[in-house]
Amino acid sequence: MIQLQQVTRKFGSFMAVQDVTLTVAKGEIHGLIGASGAGKSTLLRLMNLLEVPDSGNIFINGQQLTALKNAELREARKSIGMIFQHFHLVANKTVRDNVEIALVLANYPKKLRKARVMECLKFVGLEQFANQYPAQLSGGQKQRVAIARALANKTAVLLCDEPTSALDANTSAEILRVLQKVNVELGVTIVLVSHELEVVKSICHRATVLDAGQIYETVELTPSGVLETSHHPQSFVDQLVKGGFGHA
Ligand SMILES: Nc1ncnc2c1ncn2[C@@H]1O[C@H](COP(=O)(O)OP(=O)(O)OP(=O)(O)O)[C@@H](O)[C@H]1O
C-alpha cells in the first residue's frame, strides 16, 4: 500500500531522513517510533509529499507520488488523510463545517456532503455535537472530529502524527480504540508516529524504529489490544498509584 524506496530528505546539509526503504502493507497499522529528532514526523510527511524527498521514490497504492503533476497529486491526496497532535481544527467553524471542509476541498458533490458529514461524525460517535464549536469540546472529542474530517473522502491511508500526545491516558486509549475501529471496519491502512512505546504496542501490527533519520529495525508486534480504561474515579487512583498516568 505504501512503499518508500531509498528516500532521503535533507534540511540544508542535515540528513533528517536517510536512505529509507520501507513497505507498509494494505490494512496494516504501522508504528514509527524513535527519540526526538529521529525523523519520525518528516518520514510521515514524506508519505503524502508534504515533505518532498531529495531523492528516492514514494508509492501509494501503486501510484508513484513523486512522479505526479500538481493536479494529479491533489487527486491522489484525497485518499490520504492526516491527523495531528494538536488537532488543527478551524476555531470559528462548527464541528459539521470542520468535517465538510475536507469534502469542499475535494469537490465532493454538494448534494451528498451533508449526509457524508453526518455519516463520518456518527462513526466517531459525535453526531450530536455537529453544531458545536471546537472550543466547546474536550481534547478527545476534538481529535475525533479531526479523524472524521480525515476520513471524509473515503480515505485509504490515515497518517497520524502523535495523535494522542496531547491527551491524558484514558482519552488516549479512547482515541486508539477509534483508530482500531477505522482500521478494522473501514480497512484503512494506518501509519502512526509516537514517542510512546505503550501507544505503539497497543494497536500497531508492526513498528519501525528510527534512529538519526535511518531505519534501525522493523519489528512485528503481537496483538495486545488497547488498554481497557474506565472513567471510574478508582481507575484514576489506580493509574496514579501505578505511576502510569501521563506519558511513558
Ligand atoms: N523544516 C525543517 N527545517 C529544518 N530542520 C528540520 C525541519 N523539519 C525537521 N527538521 C529537523 O529534522 C530532524 C527530524 O525532525 P522530525 O520532526 O522528523 O523528528 P521527530 O522524530 O518527529 O522528532 P519529535 O519527536 O521531536 O517530533 C530534527 O533534527 C529537526 O530539527
Side-chain angles (χ1 to χ4, degrees), residues 232-243:
H232 192 276
Q234 187 58 44
S235 95
F236 288 97
V237 172
D238 289 346
Q239 291 184 60
L240 282 169
V241 171
K242 276 193 264 162

Side-chain angles (χ1 to χ4, degrees), residues 1 38 45 51 60 87 93 99 115 131 148 160 164 183 227 234:
M1 178 51 114
R45 291 162 60 81
E51 292 289 349
I60 302 274
F87 326 121
K93 286 192 182 291
V99 177
N131 296 320
C160 309
T164 61
N183 174 253
L227 297 174
Q234 187 58 44

Side-chain angles (χ1 to χ4, degrees), residues 9 60 96 130 136 202 227 239:
R9 174 68 169 126
I60 302 274
R96 180 199 301 277
Q136 298 171 293
S202 68
L227 297 174
Q239 291 184 60

